[in-house]
């Protein structure tokens, strides 16, 4: 016990002996495992209350710091607050470096909190690293009661997870700083769909005792809001642990003004979030002595008694805790094989898994091979079955029960054998067991069993069909989410064309899956597995993909729409319509509408998505056409897949509405501008903010990058009447173009990047030279609007936007309800089109082929015009409110629109 703590006990001994009754206090200390039953009996043998109290204090004085803490807490809980106050200043600092391991803090209270929170248990063989454990505890204490982040970082396999879990095994830390509990989530490398599954599982776990049964959140933003409310209302002053974070964008989903500890390989991963931040660096490998200690514990020998090969083995394992544990587990079963295992490692006989990682592959795959070879034949077959598990996914026990057709207990016994040999990891969340392989272990298995993977996938599908027969999993079953997310993956891996066809083209499956996880994952599967689904005919797959793409924004809503009625709205030639009609005819007591005036013309729409929660002001394609960026009134920037609508990035980018966004020519960056007067540039893949420009004095209406890759020039225009040019390699504006006398609404680089065109509320279009920033030409657009007497119209002419032809010889200008095409050299009007007498044009864009022009109108529609023949070639309805933007893809094959109705249509 610390000298200070001992002194406080001795100083207040008289008051304690006078007042306390020992029986209930001892009960609490026994439950904390700091007092033995024999010691309790010794106290009870004393004759008087005071003597019993004196004996208890004598016993405590012979013990450690945890006994002092336990005694102090017992006084508090039993109503001796005044006496506890006397001891408060003597409470020892939280530490595990006093010669005892941190196991001293493992009270029943701690065990309950950690079990409920899903914190991993100690490995079978555990070697403490007290300095690192203490460092983590101290950083957690630094958080106090304020929101913030503690990052435990270091290379893969260095023991971050084990050390973090160990730091939480401290009664005083949990009771004083995190009385609301701890909540552990293993994240790993995730895409948006995978992160949503993690969030859904976490919310479900936190709501497990709630009287209100809620559906899982359908998107990351909804999950973030749900988690924020749960942490605020149900689990205040609790700690969220995010294990194995790879990407900074993942943290945005957990940025909820709570206290978070993360483990990561990347020290800079918290740069994207706000709040207090603290770091703990974990060394890349175990010290040689610690490696020897692990081996000694596995083989139950003193370090001094280990054979000479032990030093060589630890060196061959390169200090990796994971590899040393694998070898140690083998030596525990075969203690005479030191030389054999050392030669196996030194000879490097095993094929290496080639993958970029911080792990030492030469050690890991070799140790893996040795470990697997030591399993008996039955267990080898079971372990081989794990080769087809998806990466970074924790598999419920029930899935493996179905795969092996066994009872839960039998399966757990088999898996525990793998866990004991460090071949598998187990995550225990209360009563639920989830198992997973490290990604390198999975790579090893995949490589080793490459020729059998198709059969292994086929086996798990057949076992699923045998178990569920004609039914499907329901959300209350622990294996439900696994099958909805990965059944198609297994069918594709088995090349089971008929089974995959029947599954993916079933309205029942589509309804069940979209209700649980939304439509984007299913659309992605249609694209991912198209080569198998299209073996006979691609039409059916295209029908279903189009159906989901166009109705996905409806299928994500609650209450869930009737999917049969949606199917009946499809063209009569569509397989979706045929299935829906069969369902409708079989239904009894249901009422469906059959549209008799339904057009059989092919729908122009390819995809409809609803990424925002308010009006969408702008959207654009990346140059490779694979991604779409969008922004709007909800102040967020979204980046999503153009094929499926799957979200790639979501950034709360500004403090006010975002009015425009633009990809750089190489797709590396996305610029945004806002009513908050700021211009920001973001990394389009990580979401990290590259720069912020704040030189405009009023709202910034438009931002556009130049067209050449390699040089990053950005043009912006604002209500302050200025156009500004920015070089991303410099902190300040390169040029300011002055000449407009009213708000500038739009700007755009010419195709060769020599000029910038700007459109203003002052009724003019101006052309500027990029190099000098001088005004080159000015066109008075209001001159082309005359009243009945051929006089200039007195009504203000707002020039909304402009678009260059592909060769830069012509420029198309929009004002009111007219399209005006000008010759750039002479400023002569080449042609004009009155698009509509009933609505104004909001936006236009030239197709790269120069003949087609897309026009967005205020009455909810979009029109395609042939500018040469002056004829309308397409009329596109579907939006329910004003269309703000229309943009062609760089190759001209697609165009997208964005609207006040919160949707983007491709």
């Amino acid at each position: 016990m610390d000298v200070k703590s001992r002194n406080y006990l001795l100083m207040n001994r008289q008051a304690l002996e006078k007042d306390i009754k020992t029986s209930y206090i001892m009960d609490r200390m026994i439950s904390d495992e700091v007092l033995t039953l024999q010691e309790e009996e010794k106290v009870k043998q004393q004759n008087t209350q005071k003597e019993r109290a004196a004996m208890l204090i004598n016993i405590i004085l012979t013990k450690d710091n945890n006994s002092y803490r336990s005694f102090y807490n017992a006084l508090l809980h039993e109503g001796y607050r005044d006496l506890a106050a006397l001891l408060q200043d003597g409470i020892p600092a939280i530490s595990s470096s006093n010669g005892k391991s941190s196991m001293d803090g493992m009270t029943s209270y701690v065990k309950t909190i950690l079990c409920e929170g899903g914190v991993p248990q100690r490995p079978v063989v555990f070697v403490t690293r007290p300095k690192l454990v203490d460092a983590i505890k101290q950083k957690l204490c630094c958080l106090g009661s304020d929101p913030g982040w503690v990052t435990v970082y270091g290379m893969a396999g260095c023991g971050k997870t084990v050390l973090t879990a160990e730091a939480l095994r401290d009664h005083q830390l949990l009771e004083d700083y995190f009385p609301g509990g701890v909540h552990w989530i293993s994240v790993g490398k995730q895409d948006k769909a995978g992160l949503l599954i993690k969030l859904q599982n976490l919310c479900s776990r936190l709501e497990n005792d709630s009287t209100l049964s809620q559906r899982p959140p359908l998107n990351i933003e909804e999950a973030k809001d749900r988690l924020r409310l749960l942490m605020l209302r149900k689990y205040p002053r609790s700690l969220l642990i995010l294990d194995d974070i790879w990407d900074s964008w993942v943290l945005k989903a957990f940025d909820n003004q709570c206290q978070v500890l993360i483990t990561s390989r990347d020290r800079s991963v918290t740069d994207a979030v706000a709040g207090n931040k603290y770091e703990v660096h974990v060394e890349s490998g175990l010290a040689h002595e610690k490696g020897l200690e692990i081996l000694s514990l596995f083989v139950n020998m003193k370090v001094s008694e280990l054979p000479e090969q032990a030093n060589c083995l630890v060196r061959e394992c390169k200090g990796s805790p994971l590899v040393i544990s694998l070898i140690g587990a083998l030596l525990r079963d075969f203690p005479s094989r030191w030389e054999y295992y050392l030669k196996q490692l030194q000879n490097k006989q095993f094929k290496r898994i080639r993958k970029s990682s911080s792990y030492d592959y030469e050690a890991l795959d070799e140790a893996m091979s040795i470990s697997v070879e030591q399993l008996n034949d039955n267990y080898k077959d079971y372990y081989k079955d794990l080769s087809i598990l998806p990466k970074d996914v924790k598999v419920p026990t029930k899935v493996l029960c179905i795969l092996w057709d066994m009872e839960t207990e039998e399966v757990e016994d088999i898996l525990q054998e793998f866990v004991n040999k460090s071949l598998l990891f187990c995550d225990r969340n209360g009563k639920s067991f989830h198992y997973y392989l490290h990604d390198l272990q999975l790579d090893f298995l995949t490589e080793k069993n490459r020729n059998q993977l198709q059969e292994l996938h086929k086996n798990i599908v057949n076992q699923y069909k045998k178990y569920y027969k004609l039914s499907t999993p329901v959300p209350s079953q622990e294996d439900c989410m696994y099958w909805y997310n990965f059944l198609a993956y297994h069918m594709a891996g088995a090349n089971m064309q008929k089974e995959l066809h029947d599954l993916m083209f079933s309205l029942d499956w589509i309804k069940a899956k979209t209700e649980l996880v939304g439509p984007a994952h299913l659309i992605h599967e249609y694209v991912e597995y198209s080569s198998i689904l299209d073996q006979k005919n691609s039409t059916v797959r295209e029908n279903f993909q189009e159906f989901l793409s166009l109705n996905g924004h409806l299928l994500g809503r609650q209450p869930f729409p009737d999917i049969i009625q949606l199917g009946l709205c499809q063209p009569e030639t569509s397989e979706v319509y045929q299935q829906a009609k069969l369902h409708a005819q079989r239904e009894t007591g249901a009422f469906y509408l059959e549209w008799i005036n339904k057009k059989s013309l092919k729908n122009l729409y390819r995809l409809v998505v609803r990424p925002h929660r308010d009006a969408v002001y702008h959207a654009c394609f990346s140059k490779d056409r694979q991604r779409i960026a969008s922004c709007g009134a909800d102040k967020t920037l979204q980046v999503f897949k153009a094929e499926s609508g799957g979200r790639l990035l979501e950034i709360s980018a500004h403090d006010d509405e975002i009015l425009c966004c633009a990809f750089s020519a190489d797709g590396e960056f996305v610029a945004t501008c806002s009513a908050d007067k700021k211009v920001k540039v973001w990394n389009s893949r990580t979401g990290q903010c590259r720069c912020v420009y704040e030189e405009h004095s009023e709202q910034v209406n438009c931002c556009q990058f130049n067209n050449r890759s390699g040089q990053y020039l950005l043009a912006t225009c604002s209500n302050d009447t200025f156009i500004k040019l920015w070089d991303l390699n410099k902190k300040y504006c390169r040029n300011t173009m002055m000449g407009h006398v009213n708000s500038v609404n739009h700007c755009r680089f010419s195709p060769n990047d020599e000029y910038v065109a700007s459109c203003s509320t002052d009724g003019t279009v101006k052309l500027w030279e990029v190099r000098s920033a001088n005004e080159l030409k000015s066109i008075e657009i209001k001159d082309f609007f005359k009243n009945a007497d051929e006089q200039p119209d007195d009504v203000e002419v707002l020039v909304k936007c402009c678009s260059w032809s592909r060769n830069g010889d012509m420029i198309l200008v929009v004002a009111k309800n007219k399209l005006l095409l000008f010759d750039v050299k002479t400023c002569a009007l080449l042609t004009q089109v009155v698009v509509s007498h009933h609505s104004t044009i909001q936006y236009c864009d030239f197709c790269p082929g120069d003949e087609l022009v897309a026009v967005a109108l205020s009455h909810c529609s979009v029109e395609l015009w042939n500018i040469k023949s002056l004829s309308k070639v397409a009329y596109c309805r579907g939006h329910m409110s004003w269309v703000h933007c229309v943009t062609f893809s760089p190759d001209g094959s697609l165009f997208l629109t964005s609207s006040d109705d919160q949707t983007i249509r491709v």
Side-chain angles (χ1 to χ4, degrees), residues 663-674:
F663 273 108
S664 60
D666 58 5
E668 281 299 304
F669 300 107
V670 179
T672 55
C673 60
S674 166

Side-chain angles (χ1 to χ4, degrees), residues 683-697:
N683 185 305
S684 69
R685 303 196 185 274
T686 66
Q688 188 171 6
C689 188
R690 162 78 183 265
C691 41
V692 181
Y693 300 125
E694 302 185 61
E695 293 187 29
H696 282 292
S697 59

Side-chain angles (χ1 to χ4, degrees), residues 441-464:
Q441 292 171 321
L442 190 55
D443 283 347
F444 168 81
L445 279 175
T446 303
E447 189 68 26
K448 180 180 174 67
N449 302 306
R450 183 164 298 282
N451 295 331
Q452 301 173 63
L453 292 180
Q454 188 168 320
E455 279 304 310
L456 294 173
H457 278 292
K458 189 173 182 180
N459 182 43
I460 195 171
V461 174
N462 288 335
Q463 290 299 106
Y464 167 87

